[in-house]
Amino acid sequence: MYSGDIVMPDDFEIENEILKKYHGHNKNVIIPDGVTEIGYGAFHACRIESVFIPEGVVSIGNLAFTGTGVERGSLPSTLKSIGKGAFLRCGELKRIIIPPGVTKIGDYAAGFMWPRETDKIDGFVVCGGIGSEAERYAGRYGFEFEPLFRINSDGELLEYNGDRKHVVLPAGIRSFSRDVFSHDKAIASIIIPEGVTEIASGSFFDCVSLK
């Protein structure tokens, strides 16, 4: 969750768990719990810099954040779809982390200033699971792809590139490398799969939120 402005409930127009429109003026937005869908153009052209999307949101609609000043955002593990042009014309957004559960990403969803392939944002990076829809999206448009988890052939977890509070590790991991999660102050909980036999010293050093 981001520090900054306090967002009041009246800033949000919500109907049947769908966030229809944001009417506030804060730069750092925290979407309230209970929202399951962010509707078409909900934040269109709003002057925001960051957005925290809570667990429970399953869909981000077409053009939801188009033309905003979003520099960073946190997408929930419950997310299933990202609509066409959802983060179009977000020129300050240089990297997006897409959860493994996302199965649909619309055309020009992120990394573009205009809906044509010649108007990509320079250096844009897509982070996600190996073999995921995120990797396919990156390949479709020629973006750099960064794996959410780097795992070697021996099943050793070498690197984690996410930003979530609650982390679910994929199956197949057998060990953790030294310092793999160290200094990650966001992580509050982590689910470790069966089969892990070794956790190296310092793997969770300075993870102050982990209980």
Side-chain angles (χ1 to χ4, degrees), residues 9-165:
D10 289 346
D11 289 343
F12 300 92
E13 181 183 332
I14 300 172
E15 182 180 328
N16 296 325
E17 301 182 345
I18 300 172
L19 174 52
K20 297 283 191 178
K21 189 67 180 175
Y22 174 65
H23 298 289
H25 301 285
N26 295 314
K27 291 182 178 180
N28 302 304
V29 175
I30 300 171
I31 294 174
D33 291 337
V35 170
T36 60
E37 181 179 339
I38 300 172
Y40 176 94
F43 288 86
H44 179 255
C46 292
R47 297 181 179 275
I48 63 174
E49 295 178 358
S50 70
V51 59
F52 178 84
I53 303 174
E55 295 294 319
V57 171
V58 298
S59 174
I60 297 175
N62 294 349
L63 306 178
F65 293 95
T66 295
T68 65
V70 167
E71 301 173 3
R72 59 193 186 279
S74 185
L75 303 182
S77 62
T78 52
L79 193 65
K80 302 298 182 187
S81 68
I82 301 173
K84 183 176 180 179
F87 294 92
L88 183 69
R89 291 172 49 215
C90 295
E92 299 303 315
L93 185 65
K94 305 296 186 182
R95 179 175 181 263
I96 190 168
I97 302 172
I98 299 177
V102 172
T103 57
K104 181 180 179 181
I105 304 175
D107 294 338
Y108 308 105
F112 291 90
M113 290 306 295
W114 293 101
R116 50 180 177 248
E117 295 198 27
T118 55
D119 285 316
K120 293 192 292 187
I121 294 172
D122 289 341
F124 188 77
V125 177
V126 178
C127 179
I130 297 293
S132 67
E133 190 63 25
E135 185 174 18
R136 286 187 285 273
Y137 178 82
R140 187 194 322 168
Y141 292 116
F143 291 125
E144 178 183 347
F145 176 73
E146 179 180 74
L148 183 60
F149 302 100
R150 290 190 187 275
I151 306 167
N152 68 16
S153 58
D154 294 324
E156 182 182 12
L157 177 61
L158 303 176
E159 186 178 7
Y160 168 65
N161 293 304
D163 65 349
R164 294 302 299 175
K165 185 176 180 179

Side-chain angles (χ1 to χ4, degrees), residues 184-201:
D184 190 325
K185 294 177 171 54
I187 294 177
S189 70
I190 184 167
I191 296 177
I192 299 173
E194 292 185 11
V196 173
T197 59
E198 181 180 353
I199 298 177
S201 174

